[in-house]
Short mmCIF file of all heavy atoms in Angstrom, two decimals:
data_model
loop_
_atom_site.label_atom_id
_atom_site.label_comp_id
_atom_site.label_asym_id
_atom_site.label_seq_id
_atom_site.Cartn_x
_atom_site.Cartn_y
_atom_site.Cartn_z
N THR A 32 -23.94 -19.47 6.42
CA THR A 32 -25.34 -19.79 6.35
C THR A 32 -26.14 -18.64 5.86
O THR A 32 -25.79 -17.45 6.13
CB THR A 32 -25.91 -20.35 7.73
OG1 THR A 32 -25.65 -19.33 8.69
CG2 THR A 32 -25.20 -21.61 8.15
N LYS A 43 -22.45 -13.75 -7.31
CA LYS A 43 -22.21 -14.75 -8.37
C LYS A 43 -20.84 -15.45 -8.22
O LYS A 43 -20.15 -15.67 -9.23
CB LYS A 43 -22.35 -14.13 -9.77
CG LYS A 43 -23.73 -13.56 -10.03
CD LYS A 43 -23.76 -12.83 -11.41
CE LYS A 43 -25.16 -12.21 -11.58
NZ LYS A 43 -25.25 -11.46 -12.85
N PRO A 61 -11.46 22.84 -7.02
CA PRO A 61 -11.90 23.85 -8.04
C PRO A 61 -10.76 24.37 -8.91
O PRO A 61 -9.61 24.02 -8.67
CB PRO A 61 -12.36 25.03 -7.14
CG PRO A 61 -11.44 24.95 -5.98
CD PRO A 61 -11.15 23.45 -5.75
N PHE A 69 -14.95 16.82 -9.40
CA PHE A 69 -15.29 15.79 -8.40
C PHE A 69 -16.33 14.78 -8.84
O PHE A 69 -16.38 13.67 -8.38
CB PHE A 69 -15.59 16.48 -7.03
CG PHE A 69 -14.60 16.08 -5.98
CD1 PHE A 69 -13.57 16.92 -5.62
CD2 PHE A 69 -14.68 14.79 -5.35
CE1 PHE A 69 -12.64 16.61 -4.60
CE2 PHE A 69 -13.77 14.48 -4.38
CZ PHE A 69 -12.72 15.31 -4.01
N GLU A 116 -11.21 11.86 1.05
CA GLU A 116 -10.40 12.57 2.14
C GLU A 116 -9.63 13.64 1.35
O GLU A 116 -9.34 13.48 0.15
CB GLU A 116 -9.51 11.64 2.83
CG GLU A 116 -10.17 10.47 3.57
CD GLU A 116 -10.86 10.92 4.84
OE1 GLU A 116 -10.63 12.07 5.28
OE2 GLU A 116 -11.67 10.10 5.37
N ALA A 137 -3.95 14.46 5.59
CA ALA A 137 -2.46 14.61 5.77
C ALA A 137 -2.04 15.97 5.12
O ALA A 137 -2.79 16.57 4.41
CB ALA A 137 -1.74 13.44 5.11
N PHE A 138 -0.80 16.31 5.45
CA PHE A 138 -0.23 17.44 4.75
C PHE A 138 0.68 16.88 3.58
O PHE A 138 1.32 15.87 3.70
CB PHE A 138 0.66 18.27 5.67
CG PHE A 138 -0.16 19.18 6.58
CD1 PHE A 138 -0.76 18.72 7.73
CD2 PHE A 138 -0.41 20.55 6.25
CE1 PHE A 138 -1.54 19.51 8.55
CE2 PHE A 138 -1.18 21.31 7.01
CZ PHE A 138 -1.77 20.83 8.20
N LYS A 182 18.97 22.07 -12.56
CA LYS A 182 20.27 21.96 -13.24
C LYS A 182 20.20 21.11 -14.51
O LYS A 182 20.60 21.48 -15.61
CB LYS A 182 21.34 21.41 -12.26
CG LYS A 182 22.68 21.26 -12.88
CD LYS A 182 23.65 20.62 -11.88
CE LYS A 182 25.02 20.33 -12.52
NZ LYS A 182 25.88 19.56 -11.65
N GLU A 209 17.97 11.54 -3.74
CA GLU A 209 18.44 12.59 -2.81
C GLU A 209 17.29 13.21 -2.00
O GLU A 209 17.43 13.52 -0.85
CB GLU A 209 19.19 13.68 -3.57
CG GLU A 209 20.54 13.24 -4.08
CD GLU A 209 21.51 12.81 -3.05
OE1 GLU A 209 21.60 13.53 -2.01
OE2 GLU A 209 22.13 11.71 -3.12
N SER A 249 6.36 5.06 4.95
CA SER A 249 5.64 4.20 4.06
C SER A 249 5.75 4.83 2.64
O SER A 249 6.28 5.89 2.47
CB SER A 249 4.10 4.14 4.43
OG SER A 249 3.57 5.48 4.57
N PRO A 254 0.71 2.58 -11.14
CA PRO A 254 0.80 1.51 -12.16
C PRO A 254 1.74 1.79 -13.33
O PRO A 254 2.39 0.91 -13.83
CB PRO A 254 -0.63 1.47 -12.69
CG PRO A 254 -1.26 2.76 -12.26
CD PRO A 254 -0.57 3.17 -11.03
N TYR A 264 8.42 6.66 -23.77
CA TYR A 264 8.37 8.03 -24.37
C TYR A 264 8.44 7.90 -25.91
O TYR A 264 7.93 8.77 -26.66
CB TYR A 264 9.48 8.89 -23.89
CG TYR A 264 9.24 9.45 -22.53
CD1 TYR A 264 9.78 8.80 -21.36
CD2 TYR A 264 8.51 10.58 -22.31
CE1 TYR A 264 9.52 9.30 -20.08
CE2 TYR A 264 8.25 11.08 -21.03
CZ TYR A 264 8.81 10.46 -19.88
OH TYR A 264 8.56 10.97 -18.68
N TYR A 267 4.70 6.88 -26.83
CA TYR A 267 3.53 7.76 -26.40
C TYR A 267 3.83 9.22 -26.37
O TYR A 267 3.01 10.04 -26.11
CB TYR A 267 3.00 7.34 -25.07
CG TYR A 267 2.57 5.89 -25.02
CD1 TYR A 267 3.33 4.94 -24.28
CD2 TYR A 267 1.43 5.46 -25.66
CE1 TYR A 267 2.90 3.57 -24.28
CE2 TYR A 267 0.98 4.10 -25.65
CZ TYR A 267 1.77 3.21 -24.91
OH TYR A 267 1.41 1.87 -24.90
N ASP A 288 8.46 -5.85 -7.24
CA ASP A 288 8.69 -5.08 -6.01
C ASP A 288 7.49 -5.00 -5.10
O ASP A 288 7.51 -4.54 -3.93
CB ASP A 288 9.17 -3.66 -6.32
CG ASP A 288 10.65 -3.63 -6.90
OD1 ASP A 288 11.45 -4.26 -6.30
OD2 ASP A 288 10.78 -3.07 -7.94
N ILE A 295 -0.86 0.88 -3.47
CA ILE A 295 -1.00 1.45 -4.81
C ILE A 295 -1.66 2.82 -4.67
O ILE A 295 -2.68 2.96 -4.09
CB ILE A 295 -1.91 0.55 -5.73
CG1 ILE A 295 -1.19 -0.78 -5.97
CG2 ILE A 295 -2.19 1.27 -7.06
CD1 ILE A 295 0.06 -0.79 -6.80
N GLY A 355 -4.74 5.82 9.10
CA GLY A 355 -5.58 5.76 10.21
C GLY A 355 -7.10 5.66 9.91
O GLY A 355 -7.90 6.15 10.73
N LEU A 375 -12.49 -12.20 -11.67
CA LEU A 375 -11.05 -12.50 -11.92
C LEU A 375 -10.89 -13.04 -13.33
O LEU A 375 -9.75 -12.96 -13.89
CB LEU A 375 -10.51 -13.53 -10.95
CG LEU A 375 -8.98 -13.54 -10.65
CD1 LEU A 375 -8.46 -12.13 -10.29
CD2 LEU A 375 -8.70 -14.50 -9.52
N GLY A 397 -6.51 0.38 -25.29
CA GLY A 397 -6.31 -0.70 -26.25
C GLY A 397 -5.59 -1.93 -25.73
O GLY A 397 -5.53 -2.94 -26.41
N THR A 407 -19.00 -1.83 -7.34
CA THR A 407 -18.44 -0.99 -6.32
C THR A 407 -19.57 -0.57 -5.41
O THR A 407 -20.58 0.01 -5.85
CB THR A 407 -17.75 0.29 -6.92
OG1 THR A 407 -16.82 -0.08 -7.98
CG2 THR A 407 -16.99 1.06 -5.83
#
Side-chain angles (χ1 to χ4, degrees):
T32 55
K43 300 177 182 175
F69 242 99
E116 300 287 346
F138 282 84
K182 181 184 173 187
E209 290 299 314
S249 55
Y264 282 97
Y267 302 108
D288 290 309
I295 296 294
L375 204 51
T407 309

